[in-house]
Every structure is written in structure tokens, then in C-alpha cells.
Amino acid sequence: MSESSQTIAADRDDADVDALRARIRQAAEAVRERTPMAQSFTNFVTINLVANAQLAAGGAAAMSFLPDDVVDTASMSGADYINVGTLLPFYKDALPKIARAFRKTGHQWVLDPVAAGIGSTRTEILRAFRAAPPTIVRGNASEIIALATMWGLISPDDATRPAGVESVDEVEAAVEPAKALARFLAASAPEGEAAVAVSGEADLVTDGATVYRLPGGSPMMAKITGAGCSLGGVTAVYLAVTDPLTAALAATALYDRAGEAADKVSNGPGSFQVAFLDALWNTTPDQIAASEILTV
Ligand SMILES: Nc1ncnc2c1ncn2[C@@H]1O[C@H](COP(=O)(O)OP(=O)(O)O)[C@@H](O)[C@H]1O
Ligand SMILES: Cc1ncsc1CCOP(=O)(O)O
Ligand SMILES: [Mg+2]
């Protein structure tokens, strides 16, 4: 690329990011004004932190493991959240059934494919979601790589070994799998829009076309259980008020800013978790929208 076309591309990227910032601010304000409810079907380990984080971010929470509850409540819920961290045998039929019900009504949902690649039941459930996919997938790098492999979107040669709930891959290793997943989700979405968010030391969000990198947060976020799970729940709160790309960026940026604020005033994992909820509550729409968002 010549120097002048590089400058034009950089100017266009700056204009795109400015437009995104305006959407992020609007979404953060809308969450505070409207208290949108996002229903969750999430794991037993971190369910309480997910609900508290959704409230602290300005939304409302409803947790259920009853498939009929989930389908009924979806009519009142702005968006749903499914997290496969802890599963029971009956979920093998229940979760794909719920995903199909969402599909039928066009109800939007966020998937956290926790521990993707581990266990035949989890694999069967995650494979089934391919036919009735979410609007946003949010996970760590290993989970995004495993899901993209499972759905046949990347070559198995590019896959790494499955991880547990913690990532064994760097965020950078998930760039192409994340883009492939986002393109697949967008092609399946009624509105043609979707996003994938990969968390780690510096987070990555993509709509399949552009890759956005969001640095920040705190290493202490990996020392409490549920930072990732609750980010998925908060992403669903945002999805209730805005488009998938803006929702993924806004929730990711909020987590980075809140993590930094909590880091400054805490003294270990216990006080960090308390400070983190306070910081989710106190971070302003302007602070979220002013977050560093890199397109290189
Ligand atoms: N080393 C780190 N530095 C800064 N932020 C981090 C770090 N590790 C995790 N985070 C943040 O913690 C949150 C959860 O990410 P992660 O730990 O990757 O998810 P998971 O718990 O699903 O593996 C994200 O907001 C991410 O930005
Ligand atoms: C520890 C654990 N085990 C099964 S689910 C879960 C929680 C994972 O939470 P996160 O992915 O947010 O760290
Ligand atoms: Mg996780």
C-alpha cells in the first residue's frame, strides 16, 4: 500500500471508530435509562456474580434452568445468555431446544462456550447450536478456537488442544477463528449482523470484517472466577439495547475500565470482586466510550 493510501485507510478507520464511540455511548446511556433485562441459563459456579454484574452494569437479571421458563421469559427479556460451564445430562436436549425456540422467534442471545472441546455432552450441545446459532459468541481464545473448529469453520490443523475453563492460547491465535465465527453468525442472523468477543490480556472484538483490539483491565480479573462468565451476561444486557458489534465492544470496554478501577482500590481477589462490582456501577457512559479501540 502506498503512503497516501495508508493515510486514507487510517483516516477511514478513525472515522469508523468515532462512529462506534457514539454508538457505545448511546448504548451505555440506554442501559442506564431502560434497565434492560437479560435472562441467563448459566453455570452453577458463577451464577451469582453474573446476576450481580448485570445489575451493577445497569441491567436486570433472571436466571433459570427450566427450559419452559426460559422460553416463556424470553418474551420479556431483551436478549438471552447461555453459558455451558456446568452441564447436566438433560441439557443435551434442553439447550438445543431452547436455541431453536429463540431462532423461531428471532430472539437474540449470547453464547459463552466455556470449556469447549471437553466432554461428549458439551460437544454435542455446542455442535447443535450451529443449526440455531447465537448473535454473539464471547469466550477466551481456546474456547473460540475450539468452537470454530467444531463448527468446521477452520481447519482442525489450526486447532490447539482443548482447554478447561482457562485459556491455553493467546488472544492473537484466535483472530482468524473469531473472524470465521463472526462471518458464520452474521450469515445466519436474520438481521445479517453478529459479533465475536475474545477475552484475555488485551481483548478482541470482531464483526467478521474488522478486528478491534481493546487493551486494559487487570490481571486480577483472572484471579476471581466468573469475570468471563459475567462479561457474557453483561454483553447480553447491552445486546438488549443495541446492535451486536456495539454490544460486544461496549461490554468489553466497560469490563476493562472497571477492572482497572477495582485494581487501584483492592488488596486481593476478595476485595477485588467487591470493588469490581462497585466499579461496574460507577463507570460512566463517557468513560466507556472513551476507551482505547485499535484497528491495527
Ligand atoms: N491478564 C489480564 N489483564 C487484563 N485483563 C484481563 C487479564 N486476564 C483477563 N482479563 C479480563 O478479564 C475478563 C475475563 O477474561 P478471561 O479471563 O479471558 O475470561 P475467562 O474467564 O472466560 O477465561 C475480560 O474482561 C478480560 O479483559
Ligand atoms: C470454574 C468453573 N468451572 C466450571 S464453570 C466455571 C466458571 C468459569 O468462569 P470464567 O470462565 O468466567 O472464569
Ligand atoms: Mg470463561
Side-chain angles (χ1 to χ4, degrees), residues 24 28 31-32 53 56-58 214 221 231 234 238 248-260 276 279-285 287-289 291:
I24 290 169
V31 165
R32 292 290 172 182
L214 293 90
M221 294 167 93
L231 172 54
V234 169
Y238 271 86
L249 286 168
T252 299
L254 168 59
Y255 262 56
D256 284 333
R257 301 295 75 76
E260 288 155 5
F276 182 66
L280 285 178
W281 178 255
N282 288 313
T283 303
T284 64
Q287 287 171 320
I288 301 170
S291 294

Side-chain angles (χ1 to χ4, degrees), residues 48-289:
N48 182 267
L49 183 63
V50 173
N52 271 320
Q54 289 177 317
L55 298 177
M63 328 309 269
S64 183
F65 293 111
L66 278 175
D68 58 319
D69 253 21
V70 175
V71 173
D72 283 358
T73 309
S75 63
M76 296 170 253
S77 168
D80 264 64
Y81 175 46
I82 295 181
N83 173 308
V84 298
T86 50
L87 296 167
L88 293 171
F90 91 92
Y91 293 3
K92 198 163 67 178
D93 298 321
L95 280 172
K97 200 170 160 192
I98 288 168
R100 286 194 295 273
F102 291 165
R103 186 87 193 150
K104 213 168 160 190
T105 55
H107 188 61
Q108 303 206 81
W109 60 289
V110 177
L111 169 67
D112 187 335
V114 179
I118 302 276
S120 59
T121 303
R122 178 177 289 100
T123 299
E124 208 173 305
I125 291 167
L126 290 175
R127 281 217 175 104
F129 288 154
R130 192 184 194 281
T135 319
I136 298 177
V137 174
R138 187 232 75 82
N140 64 40
S142 298
E143 291 157 352
I144 297 300
I145 295 167
L147 188 68
T149 310
M150 223 177 262
W151 285 5
L153 304 174
I154 59 165
S155 148
D157 299 342
D158 296 332
T160 50
R161 70 184 165 82
V165 300
E166 304 290 352
S167 190
V168 294
D169 297 284
E170 297 297 327
V171 169
E172 279 313 302
V175 174
E176 291 309 321
K179 284 168 76 178
L181 256 182
R183 283 195 292 265
F184 175 80
L185 298 180
S188 321
E191 301 80 9
E193 291 183 336
V196 171
V198 189
S199 59
E201 192 179 337
D203 301 302
L204 180 157
V205 173
T206 181
D207 57 1
T210 308
V211 172
Y212 301 93
R213 289 184 171 77
L214 293 90
S218 157
M220 286 307 287
M221 294 167 93
K223 299 293 169 199
I224 58 166
T225 189
C229 300
S230 60
L231 172 54
V234 169
T235 303
V237 166
Y238 271 86
L239 184 59
V241 302
T242 190
D243 62 274
L245 177 63
T246 307
L249 286 168
T252 299
L254 168 59
Y255 262 56
D256 284 333
R257 301 295 75 76
E260 288 155 5
D263 196 280
K264 287 198 184 99
V265 296
S266 59
N267 184 31
S271 56
F272 181 86
Q273 182 171 313
V274 172
F276 182 66
L277 286 174
D278 287 350
L280 285 178
W281 178 255
N282 288 313
T283 303
T284 64
D286 279 346
Q287 287 171 320
I288 301 170

